């Protein structure tokens, strides 16, 4: 009992380590328009599709903190990954989508667009000021100037991430199905 639980945790931690390492690498043939897959988002979707909304949110927050530690913490990745975890678990619980390669790829596509939009909105937010009218003007100007880049980046990231999602999902899903105790 304890041995299988320990092995399960080793698989979880090693898959997270692999996804974290892949986030830093730029492998040939994996990028589209110089944008690599969001491996940690793929992992959050794979984790959340089998678990509760609380577990998905917790995984998103923790992996967001991990990604914030690897990159600039402002804006935070925790917010977008937590929302991805919650919505993915919610999609599965309402049985809108079955668990197969195509539905996982579609979920990853939609969640990547959502996460990139949340990150884009965080980039557009002006620094806290006392003048609300000035802050709103700065927000709208920043949002308008980055909108064209955001469309390209979000679409490229969503396409690449959804294409690589089965590479992460299939082995993890097989392990969690055959494991005597899934967390």
């Amino acid at each position: 009992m304890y041995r299988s639980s320990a092995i399960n945790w080793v698989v979880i931690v090693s898959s997270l380590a692999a996804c974290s390492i892949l986030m830093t690498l730029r492998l040939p043939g994996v990028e589209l328009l110089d944008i690599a897959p969001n491996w940690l988002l793929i992992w959050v979707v794979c984790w959340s599709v089998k678990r509760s909304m609380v577990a998905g949110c917790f995984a998103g927050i923790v992996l967001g903190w991990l990604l914030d530690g690897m990159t600039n913490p402002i804006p935070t990745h925790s917010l977008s990954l937590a929302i991805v975890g919650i919505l993915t678990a919610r999609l599965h619980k309402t049985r809108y989508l079955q668990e197969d390669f195509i539905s996982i790829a579609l979920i990853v596509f939609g969640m990547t667009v959502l996460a990139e939009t949340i990150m884009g909105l965080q980039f557009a937010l002006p620094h806290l000021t006392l003048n609300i009218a000035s802050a709103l003007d700065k927000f709208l100007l920043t949002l308008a100037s980055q909108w064209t880049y955001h469309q390209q980046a979000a679409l490229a990231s969503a396409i690449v991430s959804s294409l690589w999602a089965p590479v992460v999902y299939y082995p993890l899903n097989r392990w969690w199905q055959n494991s005597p105790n899934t967390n």
Side-chain angles (χ1 to χ4, degrees), residues 39-109:
W39 295 103
L40 292 178
L41 183 136
I42 295 170
W43 197 94
V44 168
V45 168
C46 294
W47 173 267
S48 301
V49 83
K50 293 259 189 198
R51 288 172 179 75
S52 68
M53 290 190 297
V54 173
C57 180
F58 184 72
I61 290 171
V62 170
L63 293 184
W65 288 342
L66 177 68
L67 194 52
D68 287 344
M70 293 168 53
T71 62
N72 191 6
I74 298 172
T76 183
H77 296 86
S78 299
L79 177 63
S80 59
L81 289 179
I83 291 171
V84 164
I86 291 169
L87 291 178
T88 301
R90 181 77 176 130
L91 275 175
H92 174 67
K93 296 300 180 201
T94 56
R95 305 282 188 222
Y96 285 128
L97 296 171
Q98 298 296 319
E99 295 172 30
D100 61 349
F101 293 123
I102 295 172
S103 64
I104 292 299
L106 287 173
I107 292 171
V108 168
F109 185 89

Side-chain angles (χ1 to χ4, degrees), residues 83-144:
I83 291 171
V84 164
I86 291 169
L87 291 178
T88 301
R90 181 77 176 130
L91 275 175
H92 174 67
K93 296 300 180 201
T94 56
R95 305 282 188 222
Y96 285 128
L97 296 171
Q98 298 296 319
E99 295 172 30
D100 61 349
F101 293 123
I102 295 172
S103 64
I104 292 299
L106 287 173
I107 292 171
V108 168
F109 185 89
M111 294 302 162
T112 303
V113 170
L114 176 68
E116 292 293 333
T117 302
I118 292 170
M119 289 298 293
L121 288 173
Q122 288 183 59
F123 274 118
L125 286 176
H127 297 288
L128 297 175
T129 62
L130 295 177
N131 188 352
I132 300 214
S134 172
L136 183 60
D137 289 341
K138 286 181 186 176
F139 172 72
L140 293 175
L141 284 174
T142 307
L143 190 61

Side-chain angles (χ1 to χ4, degrees), residues 10-57:
V10 168
V11 168
I12 291 170
V13 170
S14 62
S15 66
L16 279 172
C19 286
S20 298
I21 291 169
L22 285 172
M23 287 291 292
T24 62
L25 298 177
R26 296 293 188 215
L27 301 172
V30 176
E31 297 178 339
L32 178 64
L33 299 174
D34 290 331
I35 297 175
N38 191 339
W39 295 103
L40 292 178
L41 183 136
I42 295 170
W43 197 94
V44 168
V45 168
C46 294
W47 173 267
S48 301
V49 83
K50 293 259 189 198
R51 288 172 179 75
S52 68
M53 290 190 297
V54 173
C57 180

